[in-house]
Amino acid sequence: MTTVLEPDEAAAGERPRQGVLDGGYRVATLGIVLVVTLLAFESMSVGTVMPAVAKDLDGLSLYAWGFSATLIASLLSTVLAGGWVDRSGPARPFMIGLAVFVAGLAVAGAAPTMWLFVAGRAVQGLGSGVPMVALYVVIARVYPEHLRSRVFAALSAAWVLPSLVGPAVGGAVAQHLGWRWVFLGLIPLVIPPALLLTPTLRGVRRSEAAPDGPGRTRYTAAIAAAAGAGLLLYGLGRTGWAMVPAALIGLAGLGYGLPRLLPAGTLRMRRGLPSVVVVRGLLSGAFFGADSFIPLTLTSLHGFSPTKAGVVLTVGALGWSAASQIQGRSKRSREFFALLGAVLVAAGIVAVTVALQLSGWAAVPAWIVGGAGMGFAIGSLSVLMLDLSPEDEQGVNSSALQIADTLGSSLVVGAAGALVTGFGTGRLHPGLAAAGVMFAAIAAAGVVAALRLEARK
């Protein structure tokens, strides 16, 4: 990898800056990339096999919960992880979270009913939220500022192999061995990356400025927000007046919890860190909402097999990875790429919604655009978050960014599921089209929020 020699370093005869795969950064980078590759493979495979799961377990009415349960549980664990990582360092939270994720894989893979499958997915969410916060803190404390954008580009590169083989392998396994092995087969793959990353995790110190207390108010807010999201989605999935009490209580829980979990001014879209969090939440909700329902549309309306449906998800992930590499090596501002990404996500969702009304394969080029938008935006927003965070708040602010991701995705996917099932199983075509319009509107709101990101002086 080519290194950059700064003018003052050249004059002093100092050694050039290292790259993310040079010297002391190599083991950390490889460990981080392998962990993200594993989580990415699970994500790509699950999206492809969910139609098969719903059919086998007679659970179309709970289709969206197969995604939302994971995301809501991840929201809770992400909040708990933020302060935990700041106080104790990332090693113990990372390992415990990974163990819980493995337990969730086992429950989901062995589930005899859709409700138990959803429960297993929730356990996966409890586990997966913690390692991601820990990895963000590792990036902040192990790598110098000038390498962070390249590390986040490497994280996107970690999606390349899963995006190439994950949907196809997941679809093939579901067709020939059964969907259960998509979950059970991942369990032994957790061990190698965990062992590789262990020395780096142990070497990262705890923040001396981090508070020693458990942050009970924050934990209460996390429970309120997670429960509120779950109740809101449950209410949206009901019919008649029965939905009103659950939805209102859910909104109250979110109203109490979110202001205590997110940076001050987030809900008012204040410039700076609050706007960074808002953009992440809106783009994640719009993109992953569309991404979750593309396989259902292709298999239900266009007769695609799970393997063929996975191809569309593959090209979206490849667009994501390619765009992330570009932004990671560019000297343009992070704010520029965040806005560019938001525009492309909105354009991609509009294009894929129209394409899916015409032909399944027409969605392929459209979803490359959407994936590229996420590649430009997500890494840039992550760098902005770290740049705007003092060391003793890196875990908490990383947690806030993950909360925006998971809450945005869970609420949008759940609302789309309620919208689709509200039309009835016999009218999937208009239901899925209406969901696409909703995704596009949320992405457009993300563009507006991205305009609030000010270039740093």
Side-chain angles (χ1 to χ4, degrees):
M1 179 176 293
T2 303
T3 52
V4 179
L5 190 64
E6 296 295 324
D8 57 337
E9 293 174 338
E14 295 181 12
R15 295 176 62 185
R17 290 177 173 179
Q18 292 178 310
V20 295
L21 290 176
D22 293 333
Y25 301 122
R26 182 179 297 113
V27 173
T29 301
L30 290 176
I32 290 170
V33 167
L34 285 175
V35 169
V36 174
T37 298
L38 175 69
L39 297 176
F41 190 89
E42 184 268 346
S43 177
M44 294 297 296
S45 300
V46 169
T48 306
V49 304
M50 272 301 297
V53 176
K55 181 179 180 181
D56 186 44
L57 299 180
D58 192 24
L60 182 61
S61 62
L62 295 174
Y63 181 88
W65 279 100
F67 300 97
S68 295
T70 306
L71 296 168
I72 291 172
S74 178
L75 181 148
L76 179 60
S77 65
T78 295
V79 175
L80 300 178
W84 186 13
V85 171
D86 281 335
R87 290 192 307 274
S88 68
R92 182 179 298 178
F94 178 87
M95 291 300 178
I96 292 176
L98 214 57
V100 174
F101 175 73
V102 167
L105 289 174
V107 173
T113 67
M114 192 66 176
W115 275 111
L116 283 176
F117 174 81
V118 169
R121 293 284 289 153
V123 175
Q124 284 180 246
L126 286 173
S128 63
V130 180
M132 288 308 300
V133 173
L135 290 182
Y136 270 57
V137 172
V138 168
I139 292 170
R141 299 182 189 173
V142 170
Y143 297 88
E145 184 176 344
H146 73 277
L147 285 181
R148 289 174 185 169
S149 63
R150 293 195 178 188
V151 179
F152 285 113
L155 295 190
S156 291
W159 283 78
V160 172
L161 182 60
S163 64
L164 283 172
V165 304
V169 170
V173 169
Q175 280 184 262
H176 302 294
L177 297 178
W179 59 264
R180 298 181 186 277
W181 287 103
V182 173
F183 299 92
L184 300 177
L186 286 175
I187 293 176
L189 301 181
V190 173
I191 298 174
L195 293 176
L196 185 61
L197 198 53
T198 296
T200 299
L201 289 166
R202 289 177 175 172
V204 177
R205 70 190 187 282
R206 67 181 294 272
S207 173
E208 297 300 328
D212 293 326
R216 184 175 300 175
T217 299
R218 183 172 173 82
Y219 292 173
T220 302
I223 294 172
L231 283 170
L232 177 59
L233 293 178
Y234 176 81
L236 291 177
R238 303 298 95 188
T239 57
W241 289 103
M243 65 172 286
V244 176
L248 290 177
I249 295 173
L251 287 173
L254 289 171
Y256 171 82
L258 288 182
R260 293 164 174 80
L261 299 176
L262 303 177
T266 297
L267 300 183
R268 290 181 280 108
M269 210 182 299
R270 198 175 74 189
R271 296 185 184 274
L273 182 61
S275 289
V276 172
V277 174
V278 171
V279 176
R280 272 289 284 261
L282 291 172
L283 295 187
S284 293
F287 180 85
F288 289 114
D291 203 60
S292 299
F293 281 85
I294 284 174
L296 181 63
T297 306
L298 293 172
T299 56
S300 301
L301 302 184
H302 298 290
F304 276 40
S305 68
T307 304
K308 289 181 179 179
V311 172
V312 180
L313 303 188
T314 294
V315 298
L318 289 177
W320 183 326
S321 180
S324 183
Q325 295 302 311
I326 294 172
Q327 67 83 27
R329 296 177 179 277
S330 173
K331 294 183 179 180
R332 282 186 174 272
S333 72
R334 300 301 100 193
E335 292 84 357
F336 168 82
F337 282 115
L339 178 57
L340 173 62
V343 171
L344 291 179
V345 169
I349 290 175
V350 170
V352 83
T353 300
V354 173
L356 287 173
Q357 304 304 307
L358 305 174
S359 165
W361 290 116
V364 173
W367 209 224
I368 292 176
V369 175
M374 292 295 281
F376 284 128
I378 295 302
S380 296
L381 292 168
S382 298
V383 173
L384 282 172
M385 180 276 296
L386 292 178
D387 289 349
L388 294 169
S389 302
E391 182 179 300
D392 61 307
E393 296 179 6
Q394 288 168 345
V396 170
N397 288 341
S398 296
S399 171
L401 209 63
Q402 297 298 316
I403 289 169
D405 284 344
T406 55
L407 186 61
S409 299
S410 62
L411 291 179
V412 173
V413 171
L419 189 61
V420 170
T421 56
F423 275 84
T425 56
R427 302 183 66 223
L428 277 178
H429 199 289
L432 291 167
V437 173
M438 183 183 72
F439 301 144
I442 294 169
V447 174
V448 174
L451 292 170
R452 303 277 298 169
L453 298 173
E454 290 182 331
R456 292 157 292 169
K457 304 298 183 183

